């Protein structure tokens, strides 16, 4: 999702026996031709977002959501069902964690290793002087952050080389995001969520391509999706795979 000028606030509507809370983002800049309607999106964490053009009223935003309420409710039920199957992590030996789409067994030991986290023979080994939930999680998060800087930078360079509209690889920042895998700022800077390094390479490439398309189309217009299709014809399948894994990848 690209960063655009918006005003945002939280509201809700009643749909049957369910109250749908949603984040309303109203553009402050007038969108290009073809972006006159509301855009409804259900994020992998269950956040419902309604993005509307300028001068849209709250009542109109609510009506736009109610028109898609059945679709939104189905997505929320699917997310809740997947979340119910995800166990809270204890950060102990035997648990599995993800890296580049593959599950690795976690092995936690007590020692004074100079390099506390290592990837060895199908395991992610964490050696700490005082291992507990807090210290193991901190060590693992730091390792993911470091790996993300290396892996995501390489993937950005690789993907950018294949896209004809990219003349120079844009600057990249790695930063945590609550509802997005990536973003593209108005000045062309790409930001990626470090948790993305847990996903398969194909999914990583999809997020990067999505953001690089925003360098040309700064919205989710018909032209944007035409550009996305040319860059990755099977993007919908890849996105569905990433969305389906989100609860597992983001379970901390």
């Amino acid at each position: 999702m690209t960063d655009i000028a918006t005003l945002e606030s939280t509201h809700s509507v009643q749909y049957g026996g369910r109250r749908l809370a949603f984040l309303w983002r109203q553009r402050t800049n007038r969108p290009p031709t073809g972006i006159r309607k509301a855009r409804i999106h259900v994020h992998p964490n269950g956040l419902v977002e309604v993005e509307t053009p300028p001068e849209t009223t709250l009542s109109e935003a609510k009506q736009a959501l109610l028109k898609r309420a059945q679709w939104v409710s189905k997505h929320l039920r699917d997310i809740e069902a997947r979340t119910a199957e995800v166990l809270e992590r204890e950060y102990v030996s035997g648990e599995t964690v993800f890296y580049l789409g593959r599950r690795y067994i976690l092995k936690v030991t007590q020692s004074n290793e100079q390099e506390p986290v290592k990837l060895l023979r199908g395991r992610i080994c964490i050696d700490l002087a005082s291992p507990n939930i807090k210290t193991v999680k901190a060590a693992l998060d730091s390792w993911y952050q470091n790996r993300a800087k290396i892996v995501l930078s390489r993937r950005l360079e690789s993907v950018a080389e294949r896209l004809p509209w990219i003349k120079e690889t844009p600057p990249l920042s790695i930063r945590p995001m609550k509802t997005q895998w990536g973003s593209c700022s108005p000045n062309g800077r790409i930001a990626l969520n470090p948790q993305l390094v847990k996903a398969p390479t194909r999914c990583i490439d999809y997020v990067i391509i999505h953001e690089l398309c925003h360098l040309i189309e700064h919205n989710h217009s018909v032209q944007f999706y035409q550009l996305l299709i040319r860059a990755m014809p099977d993007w919908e399948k890849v996105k569905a795979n990433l969305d389906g894994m989100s609860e597992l990848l983001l379970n901390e």
Side-chain angles (χ1 to χ4, degrees):
M1 179 187 299
T2 187
D3 294 333
I4 58 177
T6 59
L7 298 174
E8 61 182 56
S9 52
T10 304
H11 304 277
S12 65
V13 296
Q14 191 70 34
Y15 176 68
R18 181 170 195 150
R19 180 154 288 277
L20 300 175
F22 68 95
L23 180 67
W24 179 30
R25 296 184 185 272
Q26 187 178 28
R27 299 187 188 92
T28 58
N29 57 323
R30 186 166 295 282
T33 302
I35 311 300
R36 305 297 183 188
K37 297 181 179 179
R39 185 180 69 86
I40 313 295
H41 183 67
V42 181
H43 292 277
N45 67 347
L47 173 68
V48 178
E49 178 187 338
V50 179
E51 183 183 312
T52 63
E55 302 173 4
T56 304
T57 65
L58 175 59
S59 176
E60 290 171 333
K62 288 183 175 181
Q63 286 301 313
L65 176 57
L66 285 171
K67 287 181 181 178
R68 303 290 305 279
Q70 184 176 0
W71 175 83
V72 170
S73 295
K74 179 183 182 302
H75 275 269
L76 291 176
R77 289 195 299 271
D78 290 344
I79 290 171
E80 289 162 359
R82 292 196 300 267
T83 303
E85 298 174 358
V86 179
L87 299 177
E88 185 175 353
R89 291 203 180 280
E90 298 179 1
Y91 295 96
V92 295
S93 293
E95 284 187 336
T96 57
V97 292
F98 282 90
Y99 177 62
L100 294 179
R102 179 181 171 185
R103 285 182 184 267
Y104 288 87
I105 296 174
L106 193 63
K107 181 181 180 183
V108 180
T109 57
Q110 185 172 8
S111 68
N112 291 303
E113 289 287 334
Q114 209 168 23
E115 187 179 348
V117 184
K118 297 177 182 177
L119 184 60
L120 296 171
R121 296 184 291 277
R123 296 183 179 184
I124 292 182
C125 303
I126 300 182
D127 301 298
L128 297 168
S130 301
N132 55 55
I133 290 179
K134 185 177 180 179
T135 59
V136 172
K137 181 182 183 304
L140 188 60
D141 286 346
S142 178
W143 183 79
Y144 276 130
Q145 180 77 22
N146 291 333
R147 292 308 305 166
K149 290 177 182 178
I150 297 170
V151 173
L152 301 185
S153 294
R154 288 175 180 169
R155 294 315 307 161
L156 175 60
E157 291 180 4
S158 176
V159 170
E161 288 178 356
R162 305 198 303 264
L163 301 180
W165 66 88
I166 304 297
K167 305 305 179 185
E168 184 177 350
T169 303
L172 171 67
S173 62
I174 307 296
R175 59 180 175 84
M177 290 177 255
K178 291 183 178 180
T179 63
Q180 298 169 233
W181 288 114
S183 68
C184 176
S185 69
N187 63 6
R189 187 177 189 85
I190 304 297
L192 296 175
N193 191 328
Q195 303 293 333
L196 187 59
V197 79
K198 299 178 183 179
T201 301
R202 188 70 172 158
C203 294
I204 294 173
D205 288 355
Y206 156 70
V207 173
I208 292 174
I209 290 172
H210 183 112
E211 302 310 332
L212 291 178
C213 285
H214 279 312
L215 294 176
I216 302 296
E217 300 293 336
H218 305 285
N219 47 62
H220 292 97
S221 62
V222 172
Q223 292 80 8
F224 168 83
Y225 286 107
Q226 289 174 341
L227 193 63
L228 181 58
I229 289 172
R230 288 200 296 272
M232 179 177 273
D234 62 340
W235 73 269
E236 289 183 282
K237 180 180 179 181
V238 179
K239 180 182 183 299
N241 183 31
L242 179 59
D243 287 347
M245 298 179 68
S246 292
E247 283 75 24
L248 289 172
L249 300 182
L250 299 174
N251 180 35
E252 298 181 345

